[in-house]
Amino acid sequence: MRKRIVSLVLIVVMLMVIFVGCSDKTNELDETQETENYTPVEVDNAEISNIENVVNINGKVAAKEEVSIIPKAMGTVTKVNVDLGDNVEVGTVLFNIEQQDIALTVDQASNGVDLAQKSVAQAENGLETARTNYELNKEKIENAQLNLERTRALYEEGAVSKAQLEQAELSASDKNLDVLLSQVTQAEIGYQQSQNQLKQAQISYEQAVNGLSNTVVEAPMKGVVSSLNVKQGQIVGSGQVAATIVDMDTVYVQISVVENVVNKIKEGQEAEISVPAVFDGYIKSTIGYISPTADPMNKLYTVRLYLDNKEYGIRPGMTGSVKLSLDSVDEAIVIKSDAVLDKDGKKIVYIVENDMAVEKEVETGLDTGELIEIISGINQGDSVIIEGQHYVSDGARVKVVRGE
């Protein structure tokens, strides 16, 4: 009897174990099935925000103004008055060139001017003499012609002889006057020629003086000596760049932009500039110049942004970076750009409502690549799926694993 009771107990225990095991397996299957019935997603709320399309373009720093010093005089450098990196003012003497030969030329040209001036004075005196002689003889002839009329009348009356009449006719002849007029013309030509010679002598003298002044090479503007290619005893000539002066008070960062960017910016527009070698972060500037035409080589448009550089910390040749705002919209509904999908020619997003994915057709605006403007289709505060959106469909169960 006891054996029979023990056997019954054992059977009951085994049945309970089997029942519990089956129940656990059923629970496991239910949990697995529940897990497989939803898609994990990450969401982000649609927000009201300002959005802008910003591009970052690298460029180079250059001086606002740079002048190459090319000496006009040829000769030997006798003295160099500046060093590389010196600050100079307008008129600062950079270096001197041998003056002896040019000074001799100036003296010779000066003597040539003196001789030409004397020739002009002599020619002027000759002209005055010829004119005076002509006027005196003209007056005499006019008086002789009046006297000839009276003599003819007296001759007809028999009061004077024929010899007296002939003498009166000879005195009244204007042949001598033609000769004197020719002398006046020649004197005028001689005077004009002497004046031309004086002008030529003066030009030669001015050229010689300029040549002498060119032996003193001065700075044409305020700035820094950025290159110096001469030394004492060196022979220099025209066409050789002897030095370079740059205006370091103002520099600019020059960038090149493509055609679909150039029409979205304008002179005076604010931008941000970074020069990593000098300072961290960005400082504000404005666009100071946009080239009206593209570079024929690279088809890009040149843009310059100017910076004050009183401390000379920013140097030409450094690398700069410019942030430009191309488009902007204020107070727009903004979401992540990746949240927007293309479906059957429409733009859609999925939002989460009651643990379900709900498909919404949207109209989009400005897209920066990271954020996108939503013109219509969703509202502020909607939970937009930004991860997992490719794996859901309208009405599918979802579970938010990250995000709000």
Side-chain angles (χ1 to χ4, degrees):
M1 187 68 176
R2 291 182 63 185
K3 289 181 179 180
R4 205 177 275 182
I5 293 173
V6 171
S7 298
L8 287 172
V9 170
L10 290 174
I11 291 170
V12 171
V13 171
M14 290 177 64
L15 289 172
M16 291 178 64
V17 170
I18 293 170
F19 177 78
V20 171
C22 290
S23 177
D24 290 342
K25 288 182 179 179
T26 301
N27 290 336
E28 288 177 3
L29 288 173
D30 290 342
E31 289 179 2
T32 302
Q33 188 173 1
E34 183 182 355
T35 301
E36 292 175 349
N37 282 341
Y38 67 78
T39 302
V41 296
E42 180 180 353
V43 297
D44 192 16
N45 287 344
E47 297 179 348
I48 299 293
S49 178
N50 299 335
I51 182 173
E52 62 178 346
N53 188 13
V54 177
V55 295
N56 201 323
I57 304 174
N58 292 330
K60 287 290 184 181
V61 176
K64 180 181 179 181
E65 190 172 0
E66 180 175 315
V67 175
S68 296
I69 308 300
I70 301 176
K72 296 179 181 180
M74 179 178 292
T76 303
V77 176
T78 58
K79 186 179 181 182
V80 179
N81 302 298
V82 295
D83 293 319
L84 195 64
D86 282 357
N87 293 313
V88 296
E89 300 291 334
V90 176
T92 299
V93 177
L94 305 177
F95 59 92
N96 299 85
I97 300 174
E98 174 61 46
Q99 296 182 342
Q100 184 174 353
D101 293 340
I102 300 178
L104 181 60
T105 303
V106 172
D107 291 340
Q108 293 173 345
S110 178
N111 292 334
V113 171
D114 291 340
L115 291 175
Q117 287 175 336
K118 291 178 181 179
S119 296
V120 169
Q122 291 174 353
E124 187 176 12
N125 289 334
L127 177 59
E128 290 299 323
T129 299
R131 285 175 176 170
T132 301
N133 193 24
Y134 172 78
E135 294 296 331
L136 289 174
N137 282 276
K138 181 181 178 182
E139 185 178 355
K140 287 181 181 180
I141 290 172
E142 289 174 351
N143 292 332
Q145 288 175 344
L146 293 175
N147 184 53
L148 175 60
E149 296 298 324
R150 291 193 294 268
T151 301
R152 280 177 179 163
L154 292 173
Y155 174 76
E156 290 174 358
E157 294 175 358
V160 295
S161 64
K162 187 175 181 180
Q164 289 176 316
L165 176 61
E166 290 175 349
Q167 183 62 39
E169 290 175 343
L170 182 62
S171 299
S173 174
D174 58 1
K175 290 183 179 181
N176 290 335
L177 193 62
D178 292 339
V179 173
L180 293 174
L181 182 60
S182 176
Q183 291 176 352
V184 171
T185 302
Q186 291 298 320
E188 288 175 341
I189 293 172
Y191 178 67
Q192 186 62 49
Q193 288 177 340
S194 66
Q195 282 187 320
N196 293 337
Q197 290 172 352
L198 176 60
K199 289 180 181 179
Q200 188 60 46
Q202 289 172 334
I203 291 173
S204 297
Y205 175 73
E206 290 173 0
Q207 290 175 340
V209 170
N210 288 336
L212 184 61
S213 66
N214 290 337
T215 61
V216 180
V217 181
E218 299 178 346
M221 72 173 194
K222 176 185 176 182
V224 178
V225 180
S226 62
S227 72
L228 188 62
N229 306 316
V230 295
K231 59 183 179 180
Q232 187 172 340
Q234 178 182 346
I235 297 176
V236 296
S238 58
Q240 174 186 348
V241 177
T244 304
I245 298 176
V246 295
D247 178 5
M248 294 283 287
D249 287 346
T250 303
V251 295
Y252 62 85
V253 177
Q254 179 168 303
I255 59 175
S256 298
V257 301
V258 295
E259 59 185 15
N260 63 342
V261 170
V262 71
N263 285 333
K264 294 183 178 181
I265 59 177
K266 59 184 179 179
E267 292 184 8
Q269 176 181 329
E270 284 193 354
E272 293 183 323
I273 295 178
S274 171
V275 183
V278 182
F279 54 84
D280 296 327
Y282 286 80
I283 60 175
K284 291 188 179 297
S285 180
T286 56
I287 297 175
Y289 169 78
I290 302 174
S291 63
T293 58
D295 187 300
M297 298 296 292
N298 57 25
K299 308 302 181 184
L300 299 177
Y301 294 82
T302 298
V303 178
R304 294 176 180 175
L305 300 95
Y306 292 90
L307 291 170
D308 289 333
N309 188 37
K310 303 301 183 183
E311 301 298 326
Y312 294 174
I314 306 174
R315 299 177 181 275
M318 287 182 172
T319 299
S321 180
V322 178
K323 281 185 179 180
L324 293 176
S325 176
L326 304 185
D327 303 287
S328 64
V329 179
D330 295 334
E331 300 296 318
I333 295 178
V334 176
I335 64 173
K336 300 285 187 181
S337 296
D338 292 341
V340 180
L341 304 177
D342 289 321
K343 181 180 180 181
D344 300 329
K346 300 182 294 184
K347 293 186 181 296
I348 65 164
V349 299
Y350 288 100
I351 66 173
V352 175
E353 291 181 351
N354 300 321
D355 295 330
M356 305 288 287
V358 179
E359 181 181 303
K360 295 285 188 178
E361 182 179 356
V362 294
E363 180 183 357
T364 60
L366 177 61
D367 186 355
T368 69
E370 180 182 0
L371 300 174
I372 189 168
E373 174 194 6
I374 302 299
I375 298 175
S376 65
I378 62 174
N379 300 314
Q380 178 187 5
D382 284 347
S383 294
V384 180
I385 299 177
I386 61 173
E387 289 290 343
Q389 67 270 30
H390 298 280
Y391 308 105
V392 300
S393 59
D394 189 29
R397 263 187 91 209
V398 296
K399 182 177 182 180
V400 178
V401 295
R402 282 185 295 177
E404 299 179 9

